Amino acid sequence: FSRCFALWKLEVSSVGALLNLGGTDSLASFQAVLPQIALNLDLIYADQSGNIAYFHDGRFPIRPPGIDPRFPLVGGKQEWVSYLPQARKPFVINPAQGWLAGWNNSPEAGWPALESREQWGVEHRVQGLTDIISRELAAKGKLTLDDVNEINFEVAQKDLFASRSIPYLLAAVANVPASDPDYAALNEASALIG
C-alpha cells in the first residue's frame, strides 16, 4: 500500500507562491500566481478599485472513471489521469450580490471533496452566515467592520441545524391538544426555545 499526494515535493514552492500573492498589484497578477499553488485553499481577493474575487485553488487530481476515491487504487492500472485545469476550478469574480462568504464549505454545488467528502454535510455555517449578511444588508444597506465581526461571532455561536429545525418543532407542539398528558411540558419547553 502506498499513498500519493498531489502536492508532493511542491510544498515549499506552494508556500512561496502563496507569499507572492501579497505582492500582486492587480486581479490579473493575483490570478497569474494561482497555478503555482499546489495546496488546496480558498483564496479571497479584494482591491482598492472595488473588485472582489474567490478562488478554490490547488492541485486536484483527475482520477480514472469508476473509482471510489476513499479506497486505494490499483497501482499501474488506476493512476491519476492528470490534474484539473485552472479554468475548471471554482471561482467567482465580482459576484452580482456584491459580497462573498465562506466557512469551510463546498466551493460550489456538486463539487466533490474527494477523500474527505464526508466533511461537507448538508448544513454548514456558511448558510447561517449568508442568511445573516442578507438580513443585515436589507436592514442597513451597508455593513461596517464591526458589523461583520458581530455577524461572525453570532454565526460561530449558533447551532445551524437547530435554528432550521426549531420552527418545525414549535409548529408540531402547537398542534398538540391540551388533553395530551405531555401538553404542559411541551409548551414549557417551547417557551424556552421559541
Side-chain angles (χ1 to χ4, degrees):
F1 173 78
S2 65
R3 185 163 177 114
C4 186
F5 291 99
L7 61 97
W8 181 253
K9 296 187 179 182
L10 297 172
E11 299 92 334
V12 174
S13 63
S14 289
V15 170
L18 191 58
L19 292 173
N20 288 338
L21 289 176
T24 60
D25 59 3
S26 69
L27 180 56
S29 62
F30 185 91
Q31 287 178 277
V33 175
L34 296 180
Q36 302 167 34
I37 301 172
L39 302 166
N40 295 349
L41 299 169
D42 292 317
L43 300 166
I44 302 290
Y45 172 87
D47 64 29
Q48 293 179 345
S49 299
N51 294 304
I52 59 173
Y54 161 82
F55 302 91
H56 184 68
D57 210 68
R59 198 167 186 220
F60 303 102
I62 297 175
R63 292 170 167 80
I67 61 104
D68 185 333
R70 296 173 300 168
F71 298 116
L73 303 180
V74 178
K77 295 179 181 177
Q78 294 180 319
E79 301 296 331
W80 294 346
V81 178
S82 67
Y83 295 96
L84 194 66
Q86 198 69 26
R88 290 187 43 210
K89 298 173 189 175
F91 73 95
V92 64
I93 298 171
N94 294 325
Q97 68 188 15
W99 51 273
L100 299 162
W103 200 310
N104 297 328
N105 54 283
S106 176
E108 68 182 14
W111 179 260
L114 304 174
E115 295 88 0
S116 59
R117 65 183 175 195
E118 288 76 17
Q119 294 176 8
W120 288 341
V122 295
E123 194 68 51
H124 278 281
R125 292 198 188 282
V126 73
Q127 187 59 55
L129 186 61
T130 57
D131 290 349
I132 295 169
I133 290 171
S134 296
R135 180 193 73 207
E136 293 297 309
L137 283 172
K140 299 178 179 180
K142 188 175 184 181
L143 300 179
T144 66
L145 182 58
D146 286 339
D147 292 332
V148 173
N149 284 333
E150 287 177 27
I151 289 169
N152 280 330
F153 182 78
E154 182 180 344
V155 172
Q157 303 299 313
K158 195 173 194 176
D159 182 338
L160 296 173
F161 182 76
S163 67
R164 296 205 186 297
S165 303
I166 287 174
Y168 298 103
L169 294 172
L170 292 175
V173 169
N175 290 320
V176 172
S179 60
D180 189 293
D182 295 321
Y183 178 82
L186 289 169
N187 279 286
E188 186 178 334
S190 294
L192 291 173
I193 63 173

